[in-house]
Amino acid sequence: MHKQSSTALNQLSQLDRQGHLKHLITLEGLDKATITALLDRARSHLRPKAARPSHSQALAGITVGNIFTEPSTRTRASFELAARRLGADVLNLEIMLSSRMKGETVLDTIRTLEAMAMNVFVIRDAEPGVGQFVASHVEDHVSVLSAGEAHLSHPTQGLLDALTIRQHKQAFEPLKVAIVGDIRHSRVARSGYQILKALEVGELRLVAPPGLMCDANEMPDAERFDRLEDGLSGVDVIMMLRIQKERMALTDIPKESDYFAQWGLTHQRLKAAKSDCIVMHPGPMNREIEIASDVADGPQSVIREQVTNGVAVRMAVLEAVTQSRPVLELAQLP
Ligand code: ASP
């Protein structure tokens, strides 16, 4: 049913006729100006730690539906908080929109939710193409946001990662960034690659054991490394990834202790990177498998900042997709 994956979407189909962001299914094709505007908007929602979080009624009258059919803690909570902090109504829906769905068809479900004035669908699904399928069938005033699509796309994660890097480094152009671990099955790696390329990062490295590296035709502008020490040498940013067991055959899953011995980011290995290198991880983290606890909690780790930035980024995206479609007042209706 959902033949096309997000990679087939181009920028135009995510923008409305005026060039405003309407859907966010993938970062592929989004230009630097659009991305930078979203990052700037997200930054405006950041507050000092002890201060009350950014709050407004910008989305009053808007209804956001969270449809997550894969487990999620951070993404789901942060989309919900982001919507509530902007004054939206939020519905967490226990339904399936993929071809695994039984009974009611996907389109019937969409129409039912639209009839209850759902304005934004936030969708996470293990099947490629669900977000795009929904986006191509919703009414004009309705937006679709991906909260993670199979191994392909996680656009708000890419944005929050870029925001975190921007907070610590002056500019993207001189940076060397290493994405490390299970790249093959990771939507975080793909969205990270897309956004860092758009932001013109100096050097992008993919660092993975051969079985966890993506195919040769994917992420063509990155340099590939099959030894951790080589890949980390002199980098400014390390993005660690979790082994996506749920997307792998049992026989392909590496033994945890072997993996840590060869691929775990330890304090010792981190010394190969620049001394002010930052360490990122999208979570959930597997301590002592892909990352040592003292590195995850160490002075170079920005993992908690990523979580904070996730709420700000999702607020920015929700504002962006709803602002060009204001809720009509009764008097304005025909
Ligand atoms: N939370 C991220 C994702 O949804 C990373 C992970 O699960 O490993 O892709």
Side-chain angles (χ1 to χ4, degrees):
M1 170 179 33
H2 315 299
K3 289 259 159 53
Q4 279 184 305
S5 73
S6 67
T7 46
L9 268 175
N10 59 27
Q11 180 178 10
L12 270 187
S13 59
Q14 297 195 94
L15 305 182
D16 65 14
R17 273 182 221 100
Q18 285 76 43
H20 297 126
L21 192 69
K22 178 175 178 182
H23 305 295
L24 186 60
I25 313 287
T26 176
L27 293 171
E28 197 177 326
L30 278 199
D31 61 21
K32 193 175 175 178
T34 307
I35 291 167
T36 305
L38 285 170
L39 298 182
D40 290 343
R41 193 191 276 263
R43 191 183 51 186
S44 77
H45 287 301
L46 293 172
R47 297 288 181 272
K49 246 192 194 135
R52 290 196 185 179
S54 170
H55 239 275
S56 81
Q57 287 300 309
L59 263 70
I62 294 279
T63 304
V64 177
N66 287 326
I67 304 171
F68 281 61
T69 54
E70 264 195 327
S72 171
T73 312
R74 273 154 292 269
T75 307
R76 183 171 175 151
S78 61
F79 260 115
E80 180 165 356
L81 281 176
R84 289 192 194 283
R85 286 179 185 165
L86 292 167
D89 295 322
V90 181
L91 216 54
N92 291 315
L93 293 149
E94 304 296 328
I95 54 171
M96 245 184 200
L97 290 176
S98 65
S99 57
R100 287 166 284 144
M101 179 179 164
K102 304 252 160 47
E104 202 174 16
T105 73
V106 175
L107 283 181
D108 279 339
T109 307
I110 296 168
R111 297 285 167 257
T112 302
L113 294 169
E114 281 176 338
M116 288 188 259
M118 186 76 62
N119 303 91
V120 182
F121 291 92
V122 178
I123 299 174
R124 167 174 288 200
D125 204 285
E127 184 178 303
V130 176
Q132 189 188 1
F133 177 81
V134 177
S136 59
H137 286 90
V138 288
E139 289 170 12
D140 220 30
H141 64 281
V142 177
S143 292
V144 178
L145 306 179
S146 168
E149 175 191 4
H151 62 290
L152 289 171
S153 171
H154 198 351
T156 54
Q157 178 75 44
L159 284 163
L160 76 88
D161 288 342
L163 180 62
T164 309
I165 294 173
R166 202 176 75 164
Q167 283 169 332
H168 287 269
K169 307 289 171 191
Q170 301 298 319
F172 287 96
E173 290 82 354
L175 296 183
K176 291 183 183 165
V177 179
I179 305 179
V180 181
D182 183 6
I183 292 167
R184 185 171 193 81
H185 306 99
S186 172
R187 54 194 175 209
V188 176
R190 285 174 178 78
S191 287
Y193 172 84
Q194 288 157 0
I195 199 163
L196 292 173
K197 250 195 73 180
L199 294 170
E200 298 172 59
V201 120
E203 191 178 319
L204 253 169
R205 298 182 182 180
L206 304 178
V207 190
L212 299 181
M213 183 59 87
C214 56
D215 289 342
N217 59 344
E218 272 201 278
M219 308 193 223
D221 295 328
E223 242 189 282
R224 293 168 182 235
F225 293 82
D226 60 8
R227 259 178 48 91
L228 185 57
E229 287 75 6
D230 298 340
L232 297 185
S233 170
V235 298
D236 302 275
V237 177
I238 301 173
M239 299 172 72
M240 295 305 295
L241 300 170
R242 175 179 71 89
I243 300 173
Q244 308 278 301
K245 289 185 191 164
E246 67 275 30
R247 302 188 208 290
M248 297 165 77
L250 268 181
T251 46
D252 292 341
I253 298 175
K255 206 174 145 218
E256 293 178 352
S257 53
D258 292 351
Y259 190 82
F260 186 66
Q262 263 202 304
W263 287 92
L265 183 63
T266 58
H267 181 67
Q268 188 56 33
R269 288 186 171 134
L270 183 53
K271 288 183 183 159
K274 288 200 182 135
S275 57
D276 62 350
C277 173
I278 56 168
V279 175
M280 305 171 68
H281 192 303
M285 261 189 294
N286 292 307
R287 291 166 184 265
E288 317 306 331
I289 298 178
E290 71 265 5
I291 188 164
S293 250
D294 60 345
V295 174
D297 302 326
Q300 287 169 260
S301 167
V302 296
I303 295 168
R304 294 214 185 117
E305 288 166 51
Q306 287 175 269
V307 179
T308 303
N309 289 343
V311 181
V313 153
R314 286 160 186 136
M315 288 175 86
V317 171
L318 282 167
E319 281 178 317
V321 297
T322 52
Q323 76 169 7
S324 53
R325 276 165 294 283
V327 180
L328 289 180
E329 298 301 332
L330 216 45
Q332 294 173 267
L333 293 176

